Amino acid sequence: MMRALWTAASGMKAQQLNVDTIANNLANVNTTAYKKQRVEFKDLLYEQLNNKSISEGEGRPVNLEVGHGVMPMATLRSFTKGNPEQTNNDLDFAIDGDGFFVVRDMNDNLFYTKDGSFKLSVEDNEARLVTSDGYFVQCDAGDIELGENVKEITVSPNGVINVKREGEEESEEIGQMTLVRFANPAGLESIGQNLYRETIASGEAFEAYEGEAGSIKQGFLEASNVSVVEEMVKMITAQRAYEINSKSIQTADQMLEQANNLRR
Amino acid sequence: MLRGLYTATSGMKTNNRKLEVITNNIANINTVGYKKDLLISESFPEILIKKINASNPFMNNEVFKGVEVKEDNGLYTVNTTSGFFRTKTINGISYQKSLNFTINKDGYLSTYYRDADGNKDTQGGYLVLGNKGPIYVGDGQLEVNERGQVLVDGNVVDSLVMPTPPGVIGTLNSGVTVDKIVVNYEQGQLFETENDLDLGIKGKGFFQIETPDGIRYTRDGSFQLNNNNELVTLDGYPVIGEYGPIVIEGSEIAVSEAGEIIVDGEFIDKIKVINIENLGDLRKEASNFYKMAEGAQIKEAPFTGTIHQGFLEKANVDPIKEMVKMMTIFRNYESGQRVIKAYDDTLGKAVNEVGKV
């Protein structure tokens, strides 16, 4: 009976994490390029009960094993596409494909992001393309340095950056934006601020060939891939699963009470 | 009187076990590829109860009216109103008024179970006893006549019915015990994850996983790549393909319904999904794994189902059914408790009130 209590408790704990994850998905429903998460569960160990009534040599398969509940195994991210939303801002980019932008922080650590809402950082009249947090966006020549007096930036679908300056007719090509792919993006570690870090599970970032990592859309941002309806349904089922586990605990408790009441 | 007390207790104990099994099913309601457990209980052998000091030993003997025999495709059902059929159980000889039996693989008459697919399973059955012990049929033609005699190839070899011994007034059951837990391998619902490395199996079959403890089988197809680009489970154990571990280097991963892995348009390997015929010998292990029972040999069969990329299989637990089972168990437990209390009250009266002046 105590086993049933703990088994059901493990179920409630697992569903709690499930609801936590769903809540986080819903909280990020408007976060640019947010990718939804899902919890995966595995069953806990099984105990072989020795049943004395089954004797050797009778040739009956002994199969009396009782499980001990459930354990959350992993949270997996689903990297399906979000809808591209038009912003008409020249510094907003969406990737139509599996690729990631590469950004660098002050300490030369590389991070990967799908969030292309970039800004200009102007220092000593030199403009550089940065993320909202000030991390430098990378191109084939390192940081994207736009130079002085930038009037217009155009990025072609394959990432070639052209800059037109104040008072100039011709535009100048300054590099190609780096897009990378992962063998297993679901294994990426998310560190907040829409940034991901590569892990053993994700595999190393590899620079994708032209067009393979998808094309860049200037003036668009990728919406999160959270579907509110889907998350609500998942929330309902998680809540009911939590409830039915609590019912298991109640039943076990009441049965214990019955046993206690045997002797008045 | 005490006999009844223990009968009620055995029922309560079995209900307890049942609750533990159901709780585990419910806890795993969101576990990918989980298959629900079902607990099978059986009654202890029916024992004969006798009238003590019966004045006329044949008073209760009914006239033998014969045996009603039904045969359906090698499965026999016999009923009688007088006398008893006997089976040899592990707890002793059991006496019954009706019996289902068939011929087991050694040629003896035996009771049988039905497994999840509805096939008869005599491995866990009991031998049917005649007057001379277990009844052997062998390859002969079996016939049971209406007098309860067993005929093999036309010759009477034994009799199924044991006449009611003098003084016997009937049978008594001494309770219920847990027999075994069987896994229901019914298909779970496939749900879409849109992840290229998630594989769902439709139909019978298992992925094979290489673990340090040997090969494990699983229905959970949520796979990952490790740093050697091998296809592994979430615990990091490699999935077995036709050529060993499956190495995927590339970006476009496509898996066909037969399990062929095509990376960037090139055939890499085929996932070795197998169908296991002796599912009864599979044992659950933690982490969604199954293993073969110790000493059991796997009987492989070709995989006939399909693999669906971007899908995973839900647990086949039905919350409503489990809830109903739980309610039933609770109420049964409650009645067991009532019965024990009633016995206790009567005993209390006998001890404390009888003989009081």
Side-chain angles (χ1 to χ4, degrees):
Chain A
M1 187 87 62
M2 294 301 177
R3 194 185 284 130
L5 278 175
W6 287 110
T7 306
S10 81
M12 286 179 82
K13 247 181 87 179
Q15 294 308 330
Q16 226 168 49
L17 183 76
N18 200 1
V19 173
D20 288 350
T21 311
I22 294 164
N24 188 46
N25 284 343
L26 284 172
N28 282 295
V29 73
N30 271 337
T31 305
T32 305
Y34 175 80
K35 299 296 177 193
K36 63 188 171 194
Q37 272 185 311
R38 156 177 86 76
V39 192
E40 173 133 334
F41 302 104
K42 65 176 178 182
D43 47 3
L44 269 175
L45 61 135
Y46 285 80
E47 185 181 352
Q48 290 273 356
L49 300 175
N50 281 331
N51 193 334
K52 286 189 207 90
S53 71
I54 291 169
S55 51
E56 286 290 318
E58 285 281 342
R60 0 175 47 200
V62 182
N63 188 8
L64 203 62
E65 34 180 33
V66 177
H68 279 242
V70 67
M71 195 176 113
M73 188 191 315
T75 49
L76 298 166
R77 216 170 261 283
S78 164
F79 278 88
T80 55
K81 239 177 259 173
N83 289 334
E85 280 171 9
Q86 192 156 18
T87 59
N88 290 329
N89 180 345
D90 276 353
L91 295 178
D92 283 343
F93 305 95
I95 302 172
D96 183 13
D98 304 333
F100 291 83
F101 296 112
V102 184
V103 300
R104 176 181 75 85
D105 73 357
M106 291 304 289
N107 305 321
D108 281 342
N109 298 315
L110 291 184
F111 301 105
Y112 308 94
T113 183
K114 284 262 195 190
D115 175 6
S117 61
F118 297 141
K119 314 280 180 301
L120 279 186
S121 151
V122 183
E123 215 175 324
D124 302 333
N125 227 0
E126 284 272 324
R128 281 198 280 187
L129 205 59
V130 295
T131 67
S132 310
D133 293 303
Y135 293 177
F136 304 109
V137 184
Q138 301 294 295
C139 71
D140 52 1
D143 296 354
I144 300 179
E145 290 172 1
L146 301 169
E148 293 175 20
N149 304 326
V150 180
K151 193 176 123 200
E152 198 185 316
I153 302 168
T154 47
V155 176
S156 73
N158 59 9
V160 177
I161 310 157
N162 280 294
V163 174
K164 205 179 245 179
R165 297 183 200 287
E166 212 71 59
E168 278 181 29
E169 281 289 304
E170 292 288 301
S171 62
E172 181 193 345
E173 186 182 318
I174 57 165
Q176 190 178 14
M177 223 181 244
T178 314
L179 287 187
V180 295
R181 292 189 57 164
F182 294 92
N184 180 29
L188 284 170
E189 182 196 354
S190 32
I191 54 164
Q193 288 132 354
N194 292 349
L195 298 177
Y196 301 101
R197 191 155 46 196
E198 69 178 40
T199 65
I200 288 172
S202 70
E204 268 174 51
F206 56 90
E207 278 190 44
Y209 305 104
E210 206 113 315
E212 256 206 356
S215 55
I216 295 174
K217 275 190 163 142
Q218 194 174 15
F220 285 86
L221 280 178
E222 188 179 348
S224 79
N225 67 350
V226 178
S227 149
V228 176
V229 179
E230 198 190 313
E231 297 300 320
M232 287 310 285
V233 170
K234 279 204 279 187
M235 196 152 82
I236 291 170
T237 51
Q239 199 229 325
R240 291 301 177 194
Y242 188 82
E243 215 171 325
I244 191 172
N245 274 302
S246 79
K247 285 274 190 297
S248 299
I249 293 187
Q250 266 177 29
T251 309
D253 178 45
Q254 282 172 354
M255 276 165 73
L256 268 178
E257 194 186 331
Q258 294 275 341
N260 280 337
N261 283 339
L262 274 176
R263 173 109 172 79
R264 276 164 301 176
Chain B
M1 186 174 297
L2 289 172
R3 241 187 215 157
L5 254 183
Y6 286 117
T7 308
T9 313
S10 80
M12 285 176 81
K13 268 180 74 181
T14 305
N15 278 326
N16 208 335
R17 271 282 136 73
K18 279 190 179 170
L19 181 75
E20 284 170 3
V21 172
I22 287 169
T23 319
N24 191 48
N25 284 343
I26 288 173
N28 282 294
I29 210 158
N30 271 340
T31 303
V32 173
Y34 177 81
K35 298 291 172 203
K36 64 184 170 195
D37 284 325
L38 181 70
L39 187 139
I40 293 178
S41 53
E42 68 173 348
S43 54
F44 281 118
E46 302 266 342
I47 51 172
L48 293 178
I49 48 170
K50 282 183 184 166
K51 206 171 190 177
I52 300 165
N53 296 331
S55 56
N56 181 358
F58 297 104
M59 188 182 71
N60 289 304
N61 274 14
E62 301 156 52
V63 184
F64 182 64
K65 295 191 194 97
V67 177
E68 194 185 311
V69 185
K70 275 185 213 145
E71 197 238 318
D72 176 27
N73 206 9
L75 305 176
Y76 288 83
T77 307
V78 288
N79 282 295
T80 181
T81 48
S82 49
F84 296 99
F85 303 114
R86 292 176 299 167
T87 51
K88 185 178 176 243
T89 76
I90 39 191
N91 292 315
I93 291 173
S94 178
Y95 299 84
Q96 282 125 27
K97 289 277 186 192
S98 72
L99 191 64
N100 294 311
F101 64 88
T102 183
I103 305 166
N104 73 8
K105 64 178 196 301
D106 298 325
Y108 287 96
L109 292 189
S110 158
T111 60
Y112 59 91
Y113 287 97
R114 293 261 187 203
D115 64 16
D117 299 328
N119 301 319
K120 66 173 186 186
D121 170 21
T122 53
Q123 216 181 355
Y126 300 131
L127 292 179
V128 178
L129 294 178
N131 291 327
K132 297 174 239 160
I135 303 172
Y136 182 73
V137 179
D139 298 328
Q141 186 64 42
L142 173 69
E143 201 190 319
V144 181
N145 69 15
E146 54 192 24
R147 290 168 58 203
Q149 288 169 316
V150 181
L151 291 90
V152 177
D153 293 333
N155 304 316
V156 177
V157 293
D158 213 332
S159 176
L160 275 181
V161 192
M162 185 197 75
T164 314
V168 165
I169 49 176
T171 61
L172 178 78
N173 183 285
S174 50
V176 65
T177 178
V178 177
D179 183 31
K180 56 180 174 180
I181 293 171
V182 292
V183 184
N184 182 331
Y185 289 98
E186 224 170 67
Q187 173 79 41
Q189 198 188 338
L190 291 180
F191 69 99
E192 195 166 12
T193 63
E194 298 171 66
N195 183 343
D196 280 351
L197 294 176
D198 283 344
L199 304 175
I201 300 179
K202 197 172 173 189
K204 290 176 186 171
F206 292 88
F207 295 111
Q208 296 184 80
I209 311 295
E210 179 114 48
T211 76
D213 305 323
I215 289 183
R216 296 289 181 265
Y217 308 93
T218 187
R219 295 275 296 186
D220 175 3
S222 58
F223 298 135
Q224 300 279 306
L225 291 179
N226 68 6
N227 52 351
N228 299 326
N229 286 322
E230 285 171 356
L231 193 66
V232 295
T233 65
L234 292 180
D235 309 79
Y237 301 129
V239 183
I240 298 178
E242 296 282 344
Y243 314 126
I246 300 161
V247 180
I248 293 177
E249 273 165 349
S251 45
E252 284 299 327
I253 301 159
V255 181
S256 76
E257 290 200 341
E260 288 141 345
I261 303 168
I262 293 131
V263 179
D264 293 334
E266 245 175 81
F267 173 79
I268 297 287
D269 203 341
K270 191 176 168 194
I271 300 179
K272 227 175 154 189
V273 183
I274 56 157
N275 191 358
I276 298 172
E277 276 186 347
N278 49 341
L279 287 173
D281 292 334
L282 270 190
R283 298 286 175 268
K284 279 188 180 179
E285 208 183 45
S287 290
N288 300 347
F289 287 152
Y290 295 87
K291 64 174 178 189
M292 268 288 140
E294 240 164 81
Q297 276 298 316
I298 184 168
K299 283 184 204 140
E300 279 185 39
F303 173 57
T304 50
T306 49
I307 293 177
H308 296 262
Q309 191 180 17
F311 286 86
L312 285 176
E313 189 183 358
K314 276 199 163 89
N316 66 352
V317 181
D318 180 347
I320 301 167
K321 277 187 189 161
E322 300 299 320
M323 199 71 213
V324 171
K325 275 193 222 163
M326 204 154 76
M327 281 156 67
T328 320
I329 285 166
F330 177 66
R331 292 304 171 195
N332 283 345
Y333 194 84
E334 209 173 0
S335 359
Q337 191 244 23
R338 286 278 154 89
V339 170
I340 292 180
K341 260 189 173 164
Y343 269 115
D344 186 37
D345 285 352
T346 340
L347 270 176
K349 273 210 165 60
V351 171
N352 297 322
E353 287 176 30
V354 174
K356 203 184 253 179
V357 185

XYZ file of all heavy atoms in Angstrom, chain B residues 106-136:
241
model
N 2.481 -31.493 -24.252
C 3.016 -32.817 -23.899
C 1.981 -33.933 -24.091
O 2.268 -35.094 -23.827
C 3.475 -32.822 -22.441
C 4.597 -31.817 -22.217
O 5.401 -31.659 -23.152
O 4.637 -31.205 -21.146
N 0.760 -33.567 -24.508
C -0.248 -34.581 -24.747
C -1.152 -34.865 -23.551
O -1.952 -35.792 -23.586
N -1.036 -34.072 -22.486
C -1.915 -34.249 -21.324
C -3.083 -33.265 -21.389
O -2.990 -32.199 -22.001
C -1.137 -34.008 -20.026
C -0.180 -35.122 -19.683
C 1.158 -35.044 -20.026
C -0.642 -36.249 -19.006
C 2.038 -36.071 -19.724
C 0.221 -37.282 -18.686
C 1.560 -37.194 -19.051
O 2.394 -38.217 -18.731
N -4.178 -33.637 -20.720
C -5.293 -32.704 -20.614
C -4.893 -31.619 -19.609
O -4.382 -31.908 -18.532
C -6.549 -33.408 -20.121
C -7.185 -34.417 -21.085
C -8.540 -34.859 -20.538
C -7.376 -33.810 -22.463
N -5.164 -30.382 -19.947
C -4.728 -29.274 -19.095
C -5.692 -28.103 -19.235
O -6.312 -27.925 -20.284
C -3.318 -28.857 -19.516
O -3.053 -27.550 -19.116
N -5.810 -27.321 -18.157
C -6.569 -26.076 -18.279
C -5.701 -25.076 -19.017
O -4.520 -25.303 -19.231
C -6.936 -25.516 -16.895
O -5.742 -25.256 -16.179
C -7.804 -26.480 -16.124
N -6.268 -23.952 -19.423
C -5.505 -22.999 -20.236
C -5.916 -21.570 -19.912
O -6.936 -21.317 -19.293
C -5.743 -23.272 -21.719
C -7.194 -23.179 -22.139
C -7.712 -21.976 -22.596
C -8.038 -24.289 -22.064
C -9.041 -21.888 -22.960
C -9.365 -24.202 -22.431
C -9.861 -22.996 -22.879
O -11.167 -22.902 -23.226
N -5.050 -20.659 -20.320
C -5.334 -19.224 -20.243
C -5.542 -18.707 -21.644
O -5.129 -19.327 -22.604
C -4.151 -18.462 -19.657
C -3.948 -18.651 -18.190
C -3.039 -19.583 -17.708
C -4.631 -17.854 -17.284
C -2.833 -19.728 -16.361
C -4.436 -18.004 -15.937
C -3.527 -18.943 -15.474
O -3.320 -19.087 -14.150
N -6.116 -17.539 -21.717
C -6.124 -16.810 -22.980
C -5.152 -15.659 -22.840
O -5.188 -14.944 -21.858
C -7.518 -16.210 -23.224
C -8.572 -17.256 -23.470
C -8.804 -17.377 -24.931
N -9.939 -18.266 -25.181
C -10.092 -18.890 -26.318
N -9.204 -18.742 -27.274
N -11.129 -19.669 -26.520
N -4.248 -15.496 -23.809
C -3.372 -14.338 -23.719
C -4.052 -13.142 -24.383
O -5.196 -13.215 -24.799
C -1.988 -14.640 -24.306
C -2.021 -14.933 -25.783
O -3.040 -14.604 -26.419
O -1.057 -15.507 -26.306
N -3.307 -12.017 -24.432
C -3.903 -10.764 -24.905
C -4.439 -10.876 -26.334
O -5.381 -10.197 -26.710
C -2.868 -9.639 -24.821
N -3.849 -11.745 -27.147
C -4.309 -11.886 -28.521
C -5.432 -12.911 -28.655
O -5.905 -13.189 -29.755
C -3.142 -12.320 -29.428
C -2.032 -11.295 -29.439
O -2.371 -10.105 -29.296
O -0.866 -11.680 -29.585
N -5.838 -13.507 -27.537
C -6.914 -14.488 -27.579
C -6.443 -15.896 -27.877
O -7.249 -16.804 -28.020
N -5.119 -16.090 -27.965
C -4.610 -17.440 -28.194
C -4.587 -18.214 -26.887
O -4.387 -17.643 -25.828
C -3.192 -17.381 -28.754
C -3.126 -16.620 -30.049
O -3.999 -16.762 -30.903
N -2.127 -15.784 -30.191
N -4.792 -19.529 -26.984
C -4.762 -20.319 -25.764
C -3.311 -20.550 -25.330
O -2.414 -20.668 -26.155
C -5.499 -21.637 -25.958
C -4.808 -22.548 -26.945
C -5.459 -23.900 -27.005
C -4.605 -24.786 -27.924
N -5.164 -26.069 -28.197
N -3.115 -20.553 -24.021
C -1.783 -20.709 -23.457
C -1.877 -21.748 -22.361
O -2.482 -21.514 -21.325
C -1.315 -19.354 -22.912
C -0.039 -19.480 -22.103
O 0.674 -20.480 -22.285
O 0.232 -18.572 -21.296
N -1.305 -22.943 -22.605
C -1.421 -24.009 -21.614
C -0.214 -24.044 -20.690
O -0.175 -24.829 -19.756
C -1.540 -25.385 -22.299
O -0.445 -25.521 -23.198
C -2.827 -25.526 -23.046
N 0.766 -23.142 -20.962
C 1.988 -23.160 -20.172
C 1.706 -22.935 -18.686
O 2.343 -23.528 -17.830
C 2.934 -22.076 -20.684
C 4.376 -22.487 -20.617
C 5.286 -21.384 -21.115
O 4.860 -20.350 -21.595
N 6.568 -21.615 -20.991
N 0.739 -22.078 -18.398
C 0.437 -21.800 -17.002
C -0.776 -22.567 -16.500
O -1.286 -22.292 -15.429
N -1.254 -23.531 -17.291
C -2.465 -24.247 -16.906
C -2.197 -25.388 -15.940
O -1.059 -25.704 -15.618
N -3.271 -26.003 -15.448
C -3.148 -27.124 -14.511
C -3.556 -28.424 -15.190
O -4.436 -28.432 -16.059
C -4.056 -26.905 -13.300
C -3.732 -25.658 -12.536
C -4.740 -24.755 -12.194
C -2.428 -25.386 -12.152
C -4.444 -23.612 -11.480
C -2.124 -24.248 -11.441
C -3.134 -23.363 -11.100
O -2.834 -22.239 -10.410
N -2.948 -29.520 -14.774
C -3.291 -30.814 -15.344
C -4.645 -31.285 -14.807
O -4.947 -31.120 -13.627
C -2.216 -31.849 -14.981
C -0.846 -31.637 -15.622
C 0.117 -32.712 -15.150
C -0.942 -31.638 -17.136
N -5.426 -31.867 -15.694
C -6.716 -32.425 -15.300
C -6.474 -33.857 -14.805
O -5.739 -34.612 -15.435
C -7.692 -32.414 -16.492
C -9.014 -33.041 -16.115
C -7.884 -30.999 -17.002
N -7.074 -34.189 -13.667
C -6.842 -35.511 -13.090
C -8.014 -36.451 -13.374
O -9.173 -36.057 -13.305
C -6.658 -35.398 -11.578
C -5.414 -34.642 -11.094
C -5.404 -34.581 -9.584
C -4.149 -35.284 -11.620
N -7.663 -37.681 -13.708
C -8.665 -38.724 -13.798
C -8.570 -39.584 -12.551
O -7.945 -39.184 -11.560
N -9.121 -40.779 -12.571
C -9.029 -41.641 -11.393
C -7.629 -42.194 -11.205
O -7.249 -42.607 -10.122
C -10.033 -42.788 -11.511
C -11.448 -42.264 -11.381
O -11.690 -41.311 -10.664
N -12.374 -42.880 -12.122
N -6.843 -42.190 -12.328
C -5.494 -42.756 -12.243
C -4.414 -41.690 -12.368
O -3.289 -41.989 -12.731
C -5.309 -43.786 -13.365
C -6.238 -44.979 -13.258
C -6.091 -45.869 -14.475
C -7.408 -46.028 -15.209
N -7.261 -46.468 -16.585
N -4.750 -40.442 -12.114
C -3.746 -39.386 -12.233
C -3.973 -38.569 -13.493
O -5.060 -38.627 -14.089
N -2.946 -37.804 -13.943
C -3.104 -36.971 -15.140
C -3.527 -37.814 -16.351
O -3.083 -38.958 -16.500
C -1.704 -36.387 -15.348
C -1.041 -36.453 -14.027
C -1.595 -37.654 -13.348
N -4.391 -37.267 -17.155
C -4.928 -38.021 -18.294
C -4.075 -37.756 -19.527
O -3.926 -36.613 -19.958
C -6.395 -37.627 -18.559
C -7.217 -37.858 -17.293
C -6.964 -38.405 -19.742
C -8.630 -37.324 -17.377
N -3.504 -38.845 -20.078
C -2.642 -38.716 -21.246
C -3.430 -39.022 -22.509
O -4.122 -40.028 -22.593
C -1.440 -39.668 -21.108
C -0.470 -39.565 -22.260
C 0.355 -38.451 -22.382
C -0.387 -40.577 -23.205
C 1.246 -38.344 -23.426
C 0.500 -40.466 -24.267
C 1.326 -39.353 -24.368
O 2.198 -39.241 -25.421
